[in-house]
Amino acid sequence: MRVKSWLCASALKAGLSEKASDRGADAVLYDLEDSVPIHQKEEARRELVRLLGEPQPVKVAVRINGVRTEEGLKDVLALLERAGSIDSILLPKARLPGDVEFLHALLAEVQQAIPIFAIVESVASLWDLRHLNQKPEGLAGLVFGSADFATDLGIALDGANLTYAKSEIAFTARRLGITAIDSPCFRIDDPDLLKHELNDAKSLGYSGKIAIHPGQIPLINAIFTPTEAEMERAAMVLDALRRGDHGGIARIGSAMVGPPFAKHASRILAAGPSAAAPPCEEGGTL
């Protein structure tokens, strides 16, 4: 199962995994970074280690502090004893490939291969992507951090046009064979804005989005799950191409379809609500 929706909140927030499960989130994202004040970092680490010792109803992701900081290194050391209970780690302020390779090496010390999602939230990180010739070992996906990215540019997030950055992140993710996850919608009382952001992200090639409120989860799941009409269309394309005798080209109504359409149709069917988990061709299932 690919992860479409991630419910994120402070590791100090009680009942987060239950809220994620109740709303149908694919994963709970425990945050040790921005949502935890510096004077509560140690408390948050202790609480998270305790939580990870309990059964979790959904997949578990953890956003640590940057590995170039003291708090980030403390996070990693604290989590090593519970590494087997973590499905993925989100790495903020990521510089590529160095930060990912460093974290991967630390995890390898305890024989843990936890998928790493690098958060691209600075001009420097985006520039790193342009010079990344191959996927760093351990990297499973890229996450767009819109708020920090806008701040780094010196502009307000509201009304900022960051399509070029989002496009480049999605393009690089596809080039490396990993997944792209969109930044949260920070207006929790504006479903129209959330829907706009979701449709925009989906059209660029993103496969999921982080939520900062449980109420955002149903719409995220709906947008990133193929509709019945899309499933029917995909099945029709594959059926027409199987029955066609024109060198892999077929006609459906007034449209001509060929091999690229078949590939896209297969992906649609694999992502459907009742489909079996597909092979991990895009960088892990979380």
Side-chain angles (χ1 to χ4, degrees):
M1 179 184 68
R2 302 202 188 283
V3 175
K4 307 177 294 296
S5 52
W6 317 46
L7 180 59
C8 177
S10 167
L12 292 169
K13 190 174 182 67
L16 184 59
S17 61
E18 289 75 16
K19 291 177 182 177
S21 178
D22 290 344
R23 287 303 184 104
D26 294 326
V28 60
L29 174 53
Y30 291 112
D31 184 35
L32 293 172
E33 197 209 13
D34 286 348
S35 64
V36 179
I38 187 67
H39 67 278
Q40 289 185 288
K41 295 286 188 185
E42 191 58 42
E43 178 187 355
R45 279 189 283 268
R46 289 196 302 269
E47 176 61 13
L48 182 54
V49 169
R50 184 192 69 77
L51 285 171
L52 293 175
E54 302 174 353
Q56 299 289 313
V58 292
K59 291 180 179 293
V60 173
V62 177
R63 180 170 75 167
I64 63 173
N65 290 272
V67 292
R68 296 176 184 237
T69 69
E70 180 182 358
E71 295 299 335
L73 294 177
K74 288 180 177 179
D75 291 342
V76 176
L77 293 175
L79 294 174
L80 287 180
E81 64 180 281
R82 296 291 188 190
S85 302
I86 301 172
D87 295 291
S88 68
I89 292 178
L90 271 67
L91 181 58
K93 313 295 189 293
R95 297 301 308 272
L96 299 164
D99 290 1
V100 171
E101 293 174 340
F102 175 68
L103 178 56
H104 178 75
L106 287 179
L107 295 171
E109 285 289 312
V110 292
Q111 298 182 328
Q112 293 292 332
I114 302 175
I116 300 167
F117 286 73
I119 307 178
V120 180
E121 49 190 337
S122 69
V123 173
S125 292
L126 189 65
W127 186 254
D128 289 342
L129 294 185
R130 294 181 178 180
H131 298 85
L132 204 58
N133 295 320
Q134 61 184 17
K135 181 177 76 71
E137 194 169 4
L139 184 65
L142 300 174
V143 180
F144 182 44
S146 62
D148 279 287
F149 191 86
T151 299
D152 197 36
L153 284 178
I155 60 178
L157 180 59
D158 287 347
N161 187 346
L162 301 176
T163 302
Y164 65 95
K166 292 180 68 171
S167 297
E168 189 155 351
I169 291 168
F171 175 81
T172 303
R174 177 58 62 180
R175 177 168 61 87
L176 299 177
I178 57 180
T179 193
I181 303 298
D182 194 24
S183 179
C185 176
F186 296 100
R187 294 280 294 275
I188 61 175
D189 58 348
D190 193 339
D192 290 336
L193 177 60
L194 174 60
K195 187 174 183 179
H196 171 76
E197 289 188 9
L198 284 165
N199 285 324
D200 180 59
K202 183 178 179 180
S203 72
L204 292 173
Y206 284 73
S207 61
K209 189 174 180 71
I210 294 173
I212 55 173
H213 188 277
Q216 296 175 325
I217 295 297
L219 187 55
I220 293 175
N221 285 341
I223 295 295
F224 284 112
T225 300
T227 64
E228 185 176 341
E230 289 173 328
M231 297 281 286
E232 290 176 355
R233 172 72 178 181
M236 188 183 302
V237 167
L238 293 180
D239 183 60
L241 289 170
R242 277 194 295 265
R243 293 186 289 105
D245 56 359
H246 300 288
I249 302 297
R251 178 173 174 170
I252 300 178
S254 61
M256 302 300 293
V257 296
F261 296 85
K263 184 179 294 186
H264 181 67
S266 295
R267 287 175 178 164
I268 290 292
L269 293 175
S274 60
C280 174
E281 67 169 0
E282 294 181 5
T285 57
L286 176 65

